[in-house]
Amino acid sequence: TPPIGGNHSQYWADCTGTVYPKAIANENAVHMLEHGAIWITYNADDIKGSALTKLKSYVSGIDRMALSPYPNLSTPISLQAWGYQLKVSSATDPRIAQFISALKYNQKTTPEYGATCSQPTFKQHPSTFGKPLEAPAS
C-alpha cells in the first residue's frame, strides 16, 4: 500500500496538480494513475513544515500530479505511478524527481494515455479514505 494499480472506481481523482488536505479513497486514486498521474502520499505524523512544503512544490499546479496524506503509511513518503512505487524517508531525496521524470504520463507505462486528469467535481468534493466515490457527490 498504497496501491499502484488494479481494480478501481470509474470516477478518477483530479490530478491536475491537486494537493488534497485529507486522505482520498484508493479506488479513485488508482484510476488517476491509469491516466498517467503520479500520486505522492505521505505520513502526516512524519511529514510537516518544510518537508510538506517541498512535496507540495512537486505537485501544486502541475498536471498529472496529486498529493495526499495516507493513513498508517509504512514510510514517511511513498510515490505511486501505474505499476510502480518508490518509498523514501525524506522530501529532499533526489529519487523523487527521477521517479516523476521517468513515469509521469509515460506513453509506455500509462494504460489510458490521452485521458484527462481533470475532474473538477472530484476536486471540489473528494472522496475520503475507505469511502470511494463512483460518481460526483450530490
Side-chain angles (χ1 to χ4, degrees):
T1 57
I4 58 170
N7 291 335
H8 55 273
S9 170
Q10 291 305 302
Y11 184 53
W12 65 90
D14 185 87
C15 46
T16 57
T18 312
V19 175
Y20 294 99
K22 296 181 180 175
I24 60 175
N26 289 336
E27 294 85 348
N28 302 115
V30 167
H31 194 156
M32 74 179 171
L33 299 180
E34 192 175 36
H35 290 199
I38 303 293
W39 178 29
I40 301 177
T41 56
Y42 63 95
N43 185 321
D45 292 334
D46 297 331
I47 301 298
K48 299 174 183 170
S50 63
L52 184 54
T53 299
K54 179 67 174 170
L55 291 182
K56 287 178 180 179
S57 76
Y58 284 114
V59 173
S60 188
I62 301 170
D63 194 38
R64 310 278 171 188
M65 297 294 297
L67 172 72
S68 71
Y70 196 88
N72 304 311
L73 194 61
S74 63
T75 57
I77 302 164
S78 182
L79 287 83
Q80 288 66 230
W82 186 267
Y84 296 89
Q85 185 171 65
L86 173 67
K87 293 190 175 194
V88 298
S89 299
S90 169
T92 59
D93 191 311
R95 294 176 296 166
I96 293 173
Q98 294 167 356
F99 185 93
I100 294 167
S101 177
L103 295 167
K104 182 177 81 165
Y105 202 49
N106 179 321
Q107 196 166 1
K108 293 179 181 177
T109 61
T110 298
E112 289 187 5
Y113 194 83
T116 183
C117 252
S118 179
Q119 189 66 277
T121 56
F122 188 92
K123 191 173 184 177
Q124 294 167 354
H125 303 286
S127 61
T128 55
F129 192 76
K131 296 181 182 176
L133 294 175
E134 297 299 325
S138 49

